[in-house]
Amino acid sequence: MNALPAALVPAMPHLLAGDPTSSWAELATATRTVGDRLRAAGVETVLLLSTHWFTVLGHQVQCDDRLRGRRTDENWYRYDYGHLAYDVTVDTELAHRWADAIDADGMQARRTRYDGFPVDTGTVVASQLLDPRGQGRWAMVSCNLYADPSAMAAVAAAGMRAAGQLGRRLGVVAVTGLSSGLTGRWIDPGEDRVEDTHDRWNRKMLDAIRAGDREAVLAMSPQYAAAAQADSQFRAFAFLDGAGAVDRPGEVLAYGPVWGTGAAVVWWGEPTESRET
Amino acid sequence: MSRVFHLPAGSTRSGARRAAASPSGPGPAAAPGPGPRRGGIVAGYLAPHPPHLVYAENPPQNEPRSTGGWEVLRWGYEELRRRLRAHRPDVLVVHAPHWITMVGHHVNCVPNPRGVSVEPIFPHLFRYHYDFRTDVELAEAVVEEGERAGLVTSALREEGVRVDYATIGALHLANPDWDLPVVSLSANNNPYYYSDASLGEMETLGAATRRAIERTGRRAVLLASNSLSHMHWDTEPDLPEDMAAEHPFSHEQYAGDMELLQIVREGPTSRLKDAIPRHIGATASETKAGSLTWLLAAMGWPEVAGDVLAYGTVIATGNAVVEWVAP
């Protein structure tokens, strides 16, 4: 495979529900398919941005070699998917090299290695679905909400350079939602839907992604962020763009609501035969 | 530098409702004397929570060590502590913007929250070992009164949820001895998607909090854990407490804070009903999370002025320690 394998996957924990509604189940299955494809592509380390690890000072790079623990979500604790165990192996050699590359580009890297550090729900959800056997390695960076969205592109480019120096076979994944419009009440999952305006915007962006029109996606992102309150101003796409991953058509594997928000699984690469694990 | 939050504040109030300002208006209410104790809300404090203030103080509960910094704000908190003690409260009730709940208003009903709160944004400054008592009866009463008022509410009874730094920060800075029971309320807003709290709902939540306090006969002090102007740097100096790097983000942010604080100092609090949304629009104020509106609504928008105990910036955000005493 020559193309850089890359994906955009949802962050919400509902994908891990024991009794999911159809949308949540389809999104979870598609995310597992992405994991299969990353393994089939021989990816050694995944460069990961979760917009739900949001920060405001510099760019935090996770430098703890193994993140193990249990996360009780501060909002979803009353559901099974609000209680998540995680065990994630970090490619610390790449993480440190990535942090060095961020600094070298005139940005501020913040090397993060603290016992008890609260891993965000998006990272936990994505790692469980993409790598259910816990065999993969990850290099993770936070999403700085106060930096310009284009900064995330520079951060991703720094990660690519660092991986290139180490000769890693790399995949790139952005964990994020699409539109907001989160339903502000406790719902029966069967009621879950994306409101019409947000749905139209999500589909418009996904159509441009399908067409491989990265310039259109980037140009529409500010308007999308305003009209559909896109997750973190759609910084996730800027990150994928900075990695050079979205200059070709994306394959939309799933799209649907998660508690009123829009969520999608998109794959960039040369699709390989999927197998469930 | 880009703004995190883009939506207007949730209040639908008309700007035409601004009360007339009066230089000779109400002053701060007098601090309590040594008379008999009455129940209800006796005082409220704007109690900003930057973890830098806890870090600068070097309390034993916090792992990182500092050389100080942000002294003027911390001196303001020293005065707050003295006054709070004089109010002789039964309980501290805190509303904080970093216990973010996407669905509804949550109240911590865990009897003894304890653990280590490693702050994901400032882990180098805030790794705090907390262990406090919840006034469960009052917490449950807030949930019930909120539901009765038509709010979506939830009673947190799961012990594994990490207590956030805005809750701990305000509580520590107001009462570092942790010898008073606590009721902790979440902020129903969602930074991932740039939505602010509905200030209308915060009024309802405030009224529900007051009813719960009155119903249970508690003598309560409220803490609104909010900063003011909230544009800030997206990097920090090598020494976090390097005060040479500390100043307002811009003149506009500073002026916006001063305009709000002037109204606070002049009173009455009803003028803040319009001033708060205006200030949010001008400065991206953290009061968009609703804590200050909740506090003043709980106090019934009293006809008093606030007493500004300190003002200072933290990574360029504006922060004021303010007291309102119930008349």
Side-chain angles (χ1 to χ4, degrees):
Chain A
M1 178 170 205
N2 295 319
L4 173 69
L8 181 151
V9 302
M12 296 283 269
H14 307 67
L15 274 62
L16 295 173
D19 184 19
T21 189
S22 59
S23 169
W24 306 352
E26 287 166 15
L27 289 161
T29 298
T31 306
R32 291 189 189 96
T33 298
V34 167
D36 294 339
R37 292 182 179 185
L38 290 170
R39 282 185 291 281
V43 166
E44 294 173 320
T45 298
V46 171
L47 214 61
L48 186 85
L49 166 76
S50 170
T51 60
H52 287 215
W53 180 14
F54 61 92
T55 55
V56 300
L57 288 176
H59 303 283
Q60 293 190 26
V61 180
Q62 182 56 257
C63 293
D64 199 341
D65 60 353
R66 193 166 180 190
L67 304 168
R68 274 186 294 186
R70 186 165 184 82
R71 175 169 177 79
T72 305
D73 190 278
E74 59 272 23
N75 186 79
W76 305 110
Y77 51 79
R78 58 166 62 184
Y79 300 100
D80 59 346
Y81 49 82
H83 302 264
L84 304 174
Y86 57 90
D87 186 348
V88 177
T89 300
V90 174
D91 183 341
T92 53
E93 185 182 19
L94 176 54
H96 283 286
R97 193 68 71 95
W98 190 3
D100 293 344
I102 290 169
D103 283 336
D105 279 355
M107 299 178 285
Q108 187 176 59
R110 306 177 67 79
R111 293 154 185 81
T112 302
R113 190 181 189 288
Y114 300 100
D115 289 343
F117 185 84
V119 180
D120 68 282
T121 293
T123 295
V124 174
V125 171
S127 62
Q128 283 199 13
L129 291 170
L130 293 171
D131 183 26
R133 293 176 185 162
Q135 296 171 331
R137 290 189 301 177
W138 309 82
M140 307 168 180
V141 72
S142 68
C143 182
N144 186 325
L145 292 177
Y146 275 69
D148 190 88
S150 63
M152 294 316 303
V155 166
M160 293 301 296
R161 273 203 318 282
Q165 291 164 5
L166 295 172
R168 290 282 193 280
R169 280 182 292 181
L170 203 65
V172 181
V173 172
V175 184
T176 190
L178 298 180
S179 62
S180 78
L182 186 127
T183 307
R185 59 188 172 83
W186 307 111
I187 61 171
D188 174 351
E191 304 172 54
D192 202 355
R193 62 182 292 277
V194 179
E195 68 159 88
D196 291 345
T197 303
H198 289 182
D199 184 54
R200 281 194 294 275
W201 262 107
N202 291 336
R203 292 179 186 279
K204 186 176 180 178
M205 298 299 281
L206 291 173
D207 284 346
I209 287 170
R210 272 196 198 92
D213 194 348
R214 60 171 282 281
E215 290 183 3
V217 175
L218 291 169
M220 289 191 292
S221 288
Q223 198 182 350
Y224 177 48
Q229 296 170 46
D231 185 333
S232 307
Q233 295 176 304
F234 213 31
R235 281 174 167 83
F237 192 84
F239 179 82
L240 293 168
D241 183 55
V246 293
D247 55 354
R248 55 210 140 107
E251 181 185 1
V252 179
L253 298 176
Y255 166 70
V258 180
W259 214 278
T261 68
V265 179
V266 183
W267 167 255
W268 287 268
E270 294 159 352
T272 57
E273 188 178 340
S274 170
R275 62 182 185 281
E276 293 298 315
T277 56
Chain B
M1 176 72 62
S2 61
R3 289 175 56 157
V4 177
F5 298 97
H6 294 268
L7 294 184
S11 172
T12 56
R13 235 175 254 112
S14 161
R17 286 181 54 191
R18 178 177 177 181
S22 169
S24 59
R37 297 172 80 246
R38 64 178 167 86
I41 298 168
V42 291
Y45 293 93
L46 180 60
H49 58 258
H52 307 69
L53 302 181
V54 175
Y55 162 75
E57 193 176 282
N58 289 317
Q61 298 98 326
N62 198 33
E63 293 179 6
R65 296 292 97 183
S66 78
T67 61
W70 302 280
E71 275 76 7
V72 176
L73 276 167
R74 293 194 287 123
W75 294 338
Y77 264 113
E78 287 179 9
E79 176 62 13
L80 182 157
R81 292 168 186 171
R82 191 188 64 75
R83 295 187 183 193
L84 187 152
R85 191 61 55 188
H87 290 302
R88 295 181 291 162
D90 300 320
V91 62
L92 298 178
V93 186
V94 60
H95 186 277
H98 296 304
W99 176 13
I100 298 163
T101 52
M102 300 180 184
V103 182
H105 307 273
H106 298 220
V107 184
N108 193 334
C109 295
V110 175
N112 178 203
R114 58 190 183 279
V116 184
S117 185
V118 178
E119 163 47 39
I121 296 177
F122 304 102
H124 58 308
L125 304 180
F126 195 88
R127 303 191 299 279
Y128 192 98
H129 296 249
Y130 61 93
D131 182 347
F132 63 89
R133 288 174 296 127
T134 296
D135 183 337
V136 176
E137 182 189 0
L138 176 56
E140 290 173 339
V142 174
V143 173
E144 291 165 11
E145 291 293 343
E147 281 178 355
R148 199 167 290 155
L151 297 175
V152 176
T153 61
S154 182
L156 167 66
R157 301 186 192 281
E158 308 287 334
E159 296 206 339
V161 174
R162 176 181 62 89
V163 178
D164 65 283
Y165 78 92
T167 298
I168 294 171
L171 287 167
H172 171 90
L173 291 163
N175 180 35
D177 293 336
W178 292 91
D179 55 354
L180 292 168
V182 167
V183 172
S184 160
L185 281 68
S186 78
N188 175 213
N189 54 67
N190 188 341
Y192 314 123
Y193 307 115
Y194 311 111
S195 66
D196 302 345
S198 159
L199 297 188
E201 279 203 14
M202 297 313 296
E203 290 231 31
T204 305
L205 183 65
T209 303
R210 180 177 66 245
R211 285 194 298 276
I213 289 167
E214 290 171 351
R215 194 179 100 193
T216 54
R218 297 296 192 274
R219 181 176 171 89
V221 164
L222 309 188
L223 304 174
S225 178
N226 279 164
S227 295
L228 295 180
S229 62
H230 217 245
M231 299 292 286
H232 63 70
W233 319 129
D234 58 12
T235 58
E236 74 173 1
D238 291 338
L239 182 69
E241 60 268 38
D242 181 354
M243 291 296 102
E246 193 60 80
H247 58 84
F249 184 82
S250 68
H251 174 67
E252 289 74 20
Q253 296 275 295
Y254 178 80
D257 285 350
M258 291 306 111
E259 181 181 340
L260 184 85
L261 291 175
Q262 187 61 32
I263 295 169
V264 166
R265 294 175 72 242
E266 290 172 358
T269 61
S270 58
R271 290 176 62 202
L272 292 167
K273 289 184 178 182
D274 291 322
I276 290 171
R278 196 167 61 242
H279 179 246
I280 291 169
T283 69
S285 171
E286 199 183 32
T287 56
K288 60 183 172 272
S291 308
L292 179 57
T293 299
W294 161 82
L295 179 145
L296 293 170
M299 296 184 73
W301 299 94
E303 293 289 315
V304 299
D307 198 0
V308 178
L309 306 182
Y311 176 84
T313 63
V314 178
I315 61 169
T317 64
N319 294 271
V321 181
V322 180
E323 179 189 57
W324 289 273
V325 177

